Amino acid sequence: MTDAALAFVGGLAGSAHCAGMCGAFVLAVGAGAPSWRANVARQTVYALGRIFTYAAAGGLAGYFGLSIERSMPAAARVQAWLAVMAGALLVVQGLRAAGILPSGWKGNAAGPCLTAAAMRAFLGQRSMGGLFLAGVFNGFVPCGLVYAYLALAMTTQDLGGGLALMAAFGLGTAPAMVAIGATGALLGLAARRRLTAFAAWCVILTGAIAIGRGLAYMRGPVEGQPVCPGCEAAASLS
Amino acid sequence: MIGPLAFATPADTLPAAPSVANRCAFCGLPAGRRSKQAPAIAAPVYCCLGCRVAATFCSAGDVPGEARRLLTRLGLAIFCTMNVTMLTMALWTNDIYADPFAASPSDFERLLGELTRYACLVLSLPVVMLLAPPMGQQAWSALRQGRLTADLLLLAGVAAACAYSVASVVRGSGHVYFEVACVVLVAVTLGRWLTAVARQRTAQALEALERLLPEMARVVRQGCEAVLPARELAPGDIVRIVAGERIAADGRILTGSAAVDEHALTGESVPTVKQPGDLVFGGALNVDGLLCVSVLSPPQGGALARLVEAVREARLVKGGSQRLADRAAAWLLPLVAALAMGALAWHVPRSGWEEGLLAALAVVLIACPCALGLATPLALWSAMNLAARRGIVFSNAEALERLAKVRVAAFDKTGTLTTGQPRVADWAAAGSPAEIVLARAAGLATRSNHVFSAALSSFARDLYARVAEPQGVRTWPGLGVSGVFTDDGDQPFAETFLGSPRLMHQRRLARSTVSNDEVERLLASPAPVTCIGWDGAVRGAFEFSEELRPYADRTLRQCRELGLRPCVLTGDREAHARRLASQLGVDVEAELLPDEKVAAIARLQRDHGPTLMVGDGINDAPALAAADVGMALGCGADVSRESADICLLGNDLAAVPWTVALARKTVRTVRFNLFWAFAYNLAGMGLAITGKLNPVWAALAMVASSAFVVGNSLRAEAETQLENLGPWPEVNGATPP
């Protein structure tokens, strides 16, 4: 499986988790839409904005991974370490979402947030351009899952690769978000919890695969194309 | 299971689920395990930072149209900047991947490179056109006034970067630095916007107080009730306030009694029961009764409005650290310009124009004194707002800074530590009928302004005693009053004296001839005693008791915990003062006349350090003015007293240690912010001058620094949301700076 496809599935599965936090935003985007079609159009534009931000961040991460590799000696096996780190981050995120690890966020009362007014202003926009920008801003809202996938994008060590990975992730989250926003319905809490648990295990699996790949790189030769163990096995069979 | 939900925090509509884990207050999903003990205050818990941020977004107010347009500009600029950054990195990737053994790049690669460069140019245009003009206007208007601003320097750098990049694109070779120009513009605008929003927030926080005054009021005129705008209220109007409504203007209660919540004005968390004749503030909440109030002053001139005005004026006066920051900023910019020029001159001959330009731009960015200008005022104003919400008014920010340094807390006794409303505790008569003694005492008391006289009069009134009418009343300052009573049979023409034992002694009214055990006992007590006598003998004595204010002992203990040395200065008698000293465990200096109090303050300052004096601002004005910081209690509708730096609307002594702790915390925040602003500037400067700092990083660091300083300063505001749930919080022992 290529990285991008894995990220798409991860986004799809993780939608249930996203619904909790970002669901409120898409509901706001859809509020007041004159018809169902117009609502879907809005949601699509909004989602495109979000995907744009993710893709840009993914590209940046990919380039960052590349430049780290270039600036460190080859023996440091940067790629391997990046993969292990990204995998670990993903596993931790997944475990937290599954409720196995404590969340660790000492939430206190929502303090003064200076960008809150900005977000609110954008969410209330009626023009498509404004909605797109709202999506762009939404992409910057702190999300552990996004950061974990960004770490994975870093391991691609390629501008285009990182971009593609994060774009795939964003596309994976899009159907659920558009659906929620268009129908104005949020799943019941019990269903959401179950889906979140399922999504959490998907994320843990992705993380485990990344760790495995990283460990394989560490043991492998310095030069040469590193391959996914699965593909290597398939190639050796044929 | 699927159902429509309105746009609100989804968790609101769900029933409380019986589970072990905490629930995120925003998305309803589990938010980590429950803590071992239940929290004392029910603060909302979030499962992640994102939910917390999202919750703030959803509860934010609306943005006016003007700001919305600015935000759209910013959003569009950010979008374009991201694209430019991506394209530039693609260019760099090409550079990295370029085959070192190829003679020259293939035609396709060259074409792709050129295309990318043109794309960068095109996408940078919107950013420049959107964000540069406002900065340019600021820089130009400052230049016309002869001032050099950071905006000017930054714009020069951005223009240079753009010009060089355009030249590269046209020439077809050379690096492009469009991303530098774009990121710099975006970062600077973002930083300025954060600052503006933060300032606006501190202003708005105060206006929230003004909004407590209701817009309409029920006015009763000539027996008819009408609902009128509160603005039209005039002194003398009668207003009816129903339970649950806020009082529209300062006034005196005519009929009805109710519990009135003045928390917003005085910080007292427990509503007090007000009776006819009591004063009430506009903006206070009538909890559970029906009140008819006679208006004393219109809402615009009431205590609340004056409090807000006083705080606004206080902001205009700059404190010590603000002046320091201003002075620093004044010579900082020319210095920065010189350093940038120097960097340019150093790098250009050695590494070319590009390196020189980048270095100069980085120097200007990292040295930008934005954080410096922010660090001080924001934290001070935020603290003053916080205090104002508890009915504490600082006359200026400097008072806040001085308060943080005090080492001694001197308190006046009567009216400050005690309620200032004595009652007659016991009395005795000797040598004359008790009825006549009481009648004459009451009669003279009504002609005197002393607090003891008021207590005597009300005592007599409570007993339904006869009050005799004196003739030829004379006042003996500091001692008492005297008069002649002709309407009872007892020595009609002898002058009757009512006053302190010292007056009795002066007037040669002896105790030995007619006094009995009762009178002797009263005279020997350490409590304040007033005597009445005529015709050569003391005929009666009245003993007064003074109530200590609630929490007086706790306040003094908290002062000690804060490292302050508490001390009481009073004009009262030595014996009584010593009893108070042992009761409260503090030093007491007694029998001080007003100028002796000033001398005592000077002694405390010399021996122990900066001194805080707490009094009522009227009777001990000289002492308040002489102290390093003077705090006046019970200002009420007066809001500000000339002699006091800090005025408290209410009478709650607990405000004293709380305010000192607030001042210390604020000064620490200011110092930390200033230190941070300087430190990161210096560190970054070293990197920038040597050419090792990319302007993009410098710009991002600048925004991060501004955001950090702003967040730190406003943090105090966030903590108040928890404090509002309880009475004065216990102060932790903040060490003096």
Side-chain angles (χ1 to χ4, degrees):
Chain A
M1 250 200 241
T2 65
D3 279 332
L6 206 60
F8 181 80
V9 171
L12 211 56
S15 302
H17 174 92
C18 301
M21 185 166 92
C22 299
F25 293 143
V26 293
L27 286 174
V29 166
S35 74
W36 195 80
R37 265 183 231 276
N39 199 348
V40 170
R42 277 187 213 209
Q43 299 297 337
T44 315
V45 166
Y46 184 75
L48 281 174
R50 214 157 43 87
I51 294 171
F52 171 81
T53 305
Y54 289 161
L60 266 166
Y63 182 78
F64 192 56
L66 176 64
S67 65
I68 289 184
E69 164 107 8
R70 293 289 156 181
S71 58
M72 302 269 265
R77 296 184 196 272
V78 169
Q79 194 170 21
W81 279 112
L82 280 179
V84 169
M85 254 179 20
L89 204 60
L90 277 167
V91 166
V92 164
Q93 276 295 321
L95 288 175
R96 276 197 189 158
I100 295 178
L101 277 185
S103 198
W105 181 249
K106 288 190 278 286
N108 46 12
C113 179
L114 302 173
T115 45
M119 192 62 185
R120 184 81 174 202
F122 279 117
L123 279 178
Q125 295 260 9
R126 292 292 149 234
S127 67
M128 286 303 177
L131 277 179
F132 183 78
L133 287 177
V136 167
F137 267 112
N138 192 8
F140 283 111
V141 169
C143 175
L145 201 63
V146 170
Y147 295 157
Y149 274 100
L150 272 177
L152 202 59
M154 236 198 296
T155 67
T156 62
Q157 296 184 324
D158 178 27
L159 188 82
L163 198 148
L165 190 143
M166 286 306 290
F169 170 70
L171 278 170
T173 61
M177 290 290 116
V178 170
I180 290 173
T183 59
L186 212 52
L187 286 178
L189 186 62
R192 262 201 291 142
R193 273 170 56 202
R194 284 207 288 274
L195 281 177
T196 304
F198 169 68
W201 288 106
C202 284
V203 168
I204 294 175
L205 187 65
T206 311
I209 292 178
I211 293 182
R213 197 173 65 197
L215 290 175
Y217 290 167
M218 285 212 218
R219 281 187 252 112
V222 177
E223 301 86 14
Q225 282 288 352
V227 294
C228 157
C231 297
E232 206 170 17
S236 67
L237 281 176
S238 62
Chain B
M1 270 206 302
I2 300 182
L5 287 171
F7 171 61
T9 51
D12 283 350
T13 59
L14 299 160
S19 77
V20 185
N22 279 326
R23 301 207 148 278
C24 173
F26 189 72
C27 67
L29 292 175
R33 300 222 193 87
R34 199 213 299 266
S35 55
K36 293 291 183 324
Q37 69 272 28
I41 301 170
V45 174
Y46 299 102
C47 69
C48 59
L49 175 61
C51 273
R52 189 188 119 159
V53 169
T56 341
F57 285 169
C58 292
S59 56
D62 281 323
V63 174
E66 175 67 51
R68 195 181 290 222
R69 279 195 287 279
L70 172 63
L71 287 173
T72 311
R73 278 188 178 193
L74 197 58
L76 204 56
I78 290 182
F79 172 70
C80 292
T81 305
M82 283 205 282
N83 280 320
V84 169
T85 314
M86 297 287 294
L87 289 169
T88 309
M89 284 194 312
L91 278 174
W92 290 347
T93 317
N94 270 342
D95 288 344
I96 289 182
Y97 275 127
D99 194 340
F101 296 112
S104 65
S106 73
D107 280 338
F108 179 69
E109 281 174 4
R110 212 178 24 232
L111 189 62
L112 200 59
E114 287 220 22
L115 209 61
T116 314
R117 272 190 251 252
Y118 269 105
C120 283
L121 172 64
V122 165
L123 281 168
S124 308
L125 281 177
V127 180
V128 172
M129 286 191 324
L130 286 173
L131 296 183
M135 276 176 68
Q137 277 165 0
Q138 294 267 39
W140 178 242
S141 61
L143 197 62
R144 276 199 304 192
Q145 292 171 8
R147 276 188 300 133
L148 187 69
T149 49
D151 283 341
L152 189 62
L153 294 173
L154 285 169
L155 271 182
V158 164
C162 282
Y164 186 86
S165 308
V166 169
S168 287
V169 170
V170 165
R171 250 199 335 241
S173 69
H175 291 288
V176 287
Y177 295 101
F178 288 115
E179 90 283 9
V180 171
C182 289
V183 171
V184 167
L185 282 174
V186 165
V188 172
T189 309
L190 203 60
R192 300 255 192 276
W193 185 76
L194 272 178
T195 316
V197 169
R199 274 195 223 270
Q200 194 193 31
R201 272 193 69 94
T202 46
Q204 269 176 349
L206 205 53
E207 266 123 46
L209 270 182
E210 275 184 320
R211 281 197 288 271
L212 286 177
L213 289 171
E215 292 211 356
M216 311 293 278
R218 292 200 187 83
V219 186
V220 178
R221 284 194 183 141
Q222 287 136 2
C224 307
E225 190 177 291
V227 175
L228 298 176
R231 263 175 293 114
E232 294 174 17
L233 285 173
D237 280 343
I238 301 182
V239 178
R240 246 167 46 109
I241 302 132
V242 178
E245 286 183 343
R246 287 203 182 263
I247 302 173
D250 294 354
R252 197 181 289 277
I253 299 182
L254 293 174
T255 63
S257 79
V260 172
D261 183 356
E262 293 182 328
H263 176 89
L265 285 153
T266 61
E268 289 180 42
S269 53
V270 177
T272 40
V273 177
K274 303 274 186 184
Q275 307 283 353
D278 287 339
L279 287 170
V280 286
F281 289 129
L285 177 69
N286 174 2
V287 178
D288 62 357
L290 178 65
L291 294 174
C292 270
V293 169
S294 164
V295 172
L296 285 174
S297 68
Q300 307 86 290
L304 196 57
R306 277 195 275 167
L307 175 126
V308 170
E309 195 54 45
V311 177
R312 277 211 195 103
E313 275 182 28
R315 281 200 222 157
L316 295 175
V317 181
K318 295 198 177 187
S321 44
Q322 262 178 290
R323 283 198 297 268
L324 175 68
D326 281 351
R327 266 205 308 266
W331 54 254
L332 193 62
L333 273 173
L335 179 67
V336 165
L339 280 171
M341 290 301 144
L344 196 67
W346 175 267
H347 284 281
V348 165
R350 285 178 183 75
S351 336
W353 276 102
E354 296 175 26
E355 291 287 330
L357 262 175
L358 287 181
L361 196 54
V363 166
V364 173
L365 276 169
I366 203 84
C368 183
C370 312
L372 203 62
L374 271 182
T376 317
L378 221 52
L380 291 175
W381 294 346
S382 190
M384 296 207 298
N385 281 350
L386 194 58
R389 284 213 286 272
R390 289 186 181 263
I392 304 169
V393 181
F394 285 85
S395 64
N396 55 48
E398 194 150 357
L400 191 63
E401 290 171 0
R402 270 184 285 136
L403 188 62
K405 296 202 195 88
V406 294
R407 299 259 176 196
V408 181
F411 291 85
D412 180 39
K413 183 181 76 71
T414 311
T416 304
L417 284 178
T418 64
T419 57
Q421 281 164 0
R423 292 178 305 114
V424 175
D426 201 357
W427 72 292
S432 287
E435 194 261 346
I436 293 182
V437 169
L438 187 55
R440 289 197 183 186
L444 281 173
T446 52
R447 301 304 187 88
S448 156
N449 285 333
H450 199 273
V451 277
F452 289 159
S453 309
L456 239 175
S457 312
S458 61
F459 177 68
R461 200 170 50 226
D462 288 342
L463 288 180
Y464 298 100
R466 178 181 69 89
V467 175
E469 272 294 314
Q471 322 271 338
V473 173
R474 278 197 290 174
T475 312
W476 304 86
L479 293 167
V481 292
S482 68
V484 178
F485 291 92
T486 53
D487 54 352
D488 54 35
D490 196 329
Q491 306 288 351
F493 295 106
E495 200 170 13
T496 306
F497 293 88
L498 175 73
S500 63
R502 211 197 284 190
L503 179 65
M504 301 294 116
H505 182 76
Q506 265 188 14
R507 294 281 124 197
R508 297 190 222 296
L509 294 167
R511 279 149 54 174
S512 53
T513 50
V514 294
S515 57
N516 58 15
D517 293 337
E518 285 293 308
V519 172
E520 281 304 314
R521 184 180 58 81
L522 287 176
L523 286 171
S525 101
V529 162
T530 297
C531 307
I532 183 167
W534 60 88
D535 197 26
V538 171
R539 308 277 171 165
F542 297 86
E543 187 192 28
F544 294 92
S545 70
E546 271 187 308
E547 288 174 63
L548 273 181
R549 281 199 194 280
Y551 303 126
D553 51 344
R554 194 173 86 161
T555 301
L556 291 171
R557 181 173 52 84
Q558 283 179 339
C559 283
R560 254 192 293 272
E561 281 170 15
L562 284 173
L564 293 175
R565 189 195 168 87
C567 172
V568 178
L569 305 176
T570 176
D572 208 352
R573 286 187 303 161
E574 185 74 39
H576 189 214
R578 248 181 279 131
R579 192 176 73 158
L580 191 71
S582 61
Q583 193 181 355
L584 292 174
V586 290
D587 294 340
V588 181
E589 292 191 38
E591 292 189 17
L592 295 173
L593 294 173
D595 47 344
E596 284 170 352
K597 276 191 191 171
V598 173
I601 298 253
R603 250 197 329 272
L604 286 168
Q605 283 170 326
R606 212 179 39 230
D607 292 339
H608 301 289
T611 305
L612 161 73
M613 173 74 190
V614 183
D616 68 359
I618 304 178
N619 295 321
D620 37 30
L624 247 60
D628 293 273
V629 181
M631 199 186 280
L633 283 184
C635 296
D638 246 346
V639 171
S640 61
R641 300 256 160 94
E642 283 291 320
S643 50
D645 301 299
I646 308 172
C647 296
L648 270 55
L649 285 189
N651 283 321
D652 203 347
L653 273 176
V656 177
W658 186 86
T659 314
V660 174
L662 175 73
R664 287 188 184 165
K665 196 158 64 166
T666 308
V667 166
R668 252 208 311 272
T669 306
V670 166
R671 294 234 175 109
F672 183 66
N673 284 345
L674 279 175
F675 166 75
W676 172 259
F678 269 121
Y680 118 93
N681 271 343
L682 281 175
M685 188 78 89
L687 286 174
I689 289 185
T690 52
K692 292 202 176 56
L693 189 63
N694 191 313
V696 171
W697 290 118
L700 292 175
M702 193 192 77
V703 176
S705 154
S706 297
F708 175 76
V709 165
V710 164
N712 213 19
S713 302
L714 296 185
R715 198 163 33 111
E717 230 182 296
E719 288 167 1
T720 62
Q721 295 193 24
L722 294 175
E723 284 177 3
N724 280 339
L725 296 171
W728 294 101
E730 281 288 333
V731 294
N732 47 11
T735 50

